[in-house]
Amino acid sequence: MTQLKNVFTAWAAGALLLACEGTPETLDASHELAYCHTQVCRSLDELRQAEGGQMDYNMMPRNVLKGEKQWNCRRADNPEEWCNGFWPGILWYDYEATGDETIRQEAERFTQQLEYLSRRPAFDHDLGFLIYCSYGNGFRLTGREDYRQVILATADTLATLYRPQVGTILSWPRNVGVFGGHNTIMDNMINLEMLMWASRNGGSRQLAEIAINHADKTMKYHFRPDFTSYHVAVYDTLTGDFLRGCTHQGLADHTMWARGQAWAIYGFTTMYRFTRSESYLEFVQQVADVYLQRLPDDGVPYWDFDDPQIPTAPRDASAAAVVASALLELADYVPAVKANYYVEAARKMLSSLSSKAYQSRKANPSFLLHSTGHLPAGSEIDASIIYADYYYIEALLRLQRVERGEALYPEYDEVK
Ligand code: GLY
């Protein structure tokens, strides 16, 4: 049974308390969603102008680097690009927020560019990011049968990367040699949502078994005793034994890379939605709590929590957006006091992200500044990155529903 009513009551009491104490409750999700719509329309205009007035639907916005003013795009027909689902997903969320039919048509056109991914072998595990953010949201909002079929076919493709002898999905087939074994990265937790959804919507039950096995093994080996996560877990390809935890995009093997921890919070919350397994719920609270305890005051993490350059190290607004969205769902599953803690933490993150310090506003057409993609590789540092925008608009839509006292996923309330 959802705890949402408790969340709402606790949130309303918290808001009243803050108001009485003279702290203005400035975050207005509707206002920020209107800002997102303005930036979406501006992006569409600028993308069209960049192609001489005719939109090139094969080009997906990816980033605006520090100091730049325009989107850098990536080809949708390149299966090695992991971020191509976020722009169509943003358009679907903006359509959900506004009901604007022009945006829906643009969402459909960009989404369609990714259909080929359902008909080719997997390049790597990112198929969930690619297809569930685009087709998943499209199906949720339109119920289109052809969209459901694309998701089901892609879920089957993702499942081909599962290795039963290990019990997880192989994230990067191309990197088995580099890591010296079967590699699973924390980001892979996000791709499980597509498998769980597919298994409930016409796909094989095996897809859910794969997702659960993956999550269980990740829970067991991919974290340190203090619930901070490794970016990469390396397993023996033949025996499945855990060999080591290490990093790829974080500062060092022993540090907490902000977005990796964010993916973990989001991913295990999603797994609880589908399974109602208490072990996931208890675990994800530990993973969230260590993240929350170590945040800077504004709720937006430095790119890696252990960077000795803090407080001058770059931030990662994308991690803040991912976590804010996840906490708004997690709040739905825990008792009122904890729910209030998570909702208030999410509100603080979204308030910071919605301030002039983090919103791009006139600087460029994205929603947010100050994300960090891959610092050790010198890539996308202190930049606007498309996935930050995706999780920001998702979190704002979730906040609106929480504030209305609505459950986020009532259809799974009775799932055991
Ligand atoms: N590898 C996905 C990410 O940068 O989070």
Side-chain angles (χ1 to χ4, degrees), residues 1-2 273 276 332-333 407 409-416:
M1 177 68 182
T2 182
R273 178 201 314 158
R276 303 293 152 147
D332 202 6
Y333 306 137
Y409 292 95
E411 64 272 34
Y412 295 110
D413 269 0
E414 304 308 324
V415 173
K416 289 280 177 250

Side-chain angles (χ1 to χ4, degrees), residues 324-346:
S325 187
L327 292 180
L328 290 168
E329 180 176 1
L330 182 54
D332 202 6
Y333 306 137
V334 296
V337 171
K338 198 74 188 275
N340 189 44
Y341 172 61
Y342 288 145
V343 172
E344 286 310 315

Side-chain angles (χ1 to χ4, degrees), residues 68 95 97 118 122 146 153 233 241 254 261 281 294 319 321 353 376 378 385 410:
E68 293 183 349
Y95 168 60
S118 68
D146 57 333
D241 291 344
H254 65 278
Q261 196 77 6
L281 187 60
R294 294 183 56 190
L353 294 178
I385 309 183

Side-chain angles (χ1 to χ4, degrees), residues 87-271:
W87 173 242
I90 287 168
L91 293 171
W92 285 116
Y93 279 136
D94 188 45
Y95 168 60
E96 183 175 5
T98 62
D100 185 329
E101 284 300 314
T102 318
I103 300 297
R104 182 182 61 75
Q105 286 165 12
E106 297 291 35
E108 284 174 350
R109 290 175 186 139
F110 279 104
T111 295
Q112 183 61 33
Q113 302 302 312
L114 302 177
E115 185 271 340
Y116 77 101
L117 291 168
S118 68
R119 291 181 282 105
R120 67 179 306 286
F123 172 68
D124 69 17
H125 71 121
D126 286 322
L127 287 168
F129 283 110
L130 286 159
I131 292 298
Y132 204 70
C133 296
S134 54
Y135 279 90
N137 280 306
F139 178 81
R140 185 174 59 78
L141 294 171
T142 66
R144 280 178 60 161
E145 177 57 19
D146 57 333
Y147 283 15
R148 190 172 71 93
Q149 293 303 330
V150 169
I151 302 167
L152 294 182
T154 313
D156 287 343
T157 306
L158 177 57
T160 64
L161 296 179
Y162 179 72
R163 299 289 179 268
Q165 66 275 27
V166 178
T168 69
I169 292 164
L170 174 62
S171 294
W172 290 326
R174 62 190 177 280
N175 283 346
V176 170
V178 176
F179 287 107
H182 172 108
N183 59 77
T184 294
I185 67 170
M186 188 51 76
D187 327 29
N188 205 146
M189 284 300 301
I190 305 300
N191 298 310
L192 305 184
E193 185 174 11
M194 181 169 71
L195 298 182
M196 294 301 296
W197 183 91
S199 78
R200 299 272 164 80
N201 288 275
S204 155
R205 285 180 66 87
Q206 234 191 334
L207 297 172
E209 285 165 23
I210 287 171
I212 290 167
N213 289 346
H214 183 109
D216 287 351
K217 186 133 184 183
T218 298
M219 189 161 62
K220 192 164 176 190
Y221 292 110
H222 218 127
F223 292 82
R224 307 176 188 96
D226 65 355
F227 300 99
T228 63
S229 58
Y230 301 111
H231 185 195
V232 187
V234 184
Y235 300 100
D236 186 289
T237 304
L238 298 177
T239 65
D241 291 344
F242 176 71
L243 299 178
R244 64 195 172 95
C246 54
T247 199
H248 178 68
Q249 284 168 251
L251 180 74
D253 293 348
H254 65 278
T255 64
M256 178 159 65
W257 175 51
R259 200 165 52 259
Q261 196 77 6
W263 294 139
I265 297 166
Y266 194 108
F268 281 99
T269 300
T270 305
M271 285 305 290

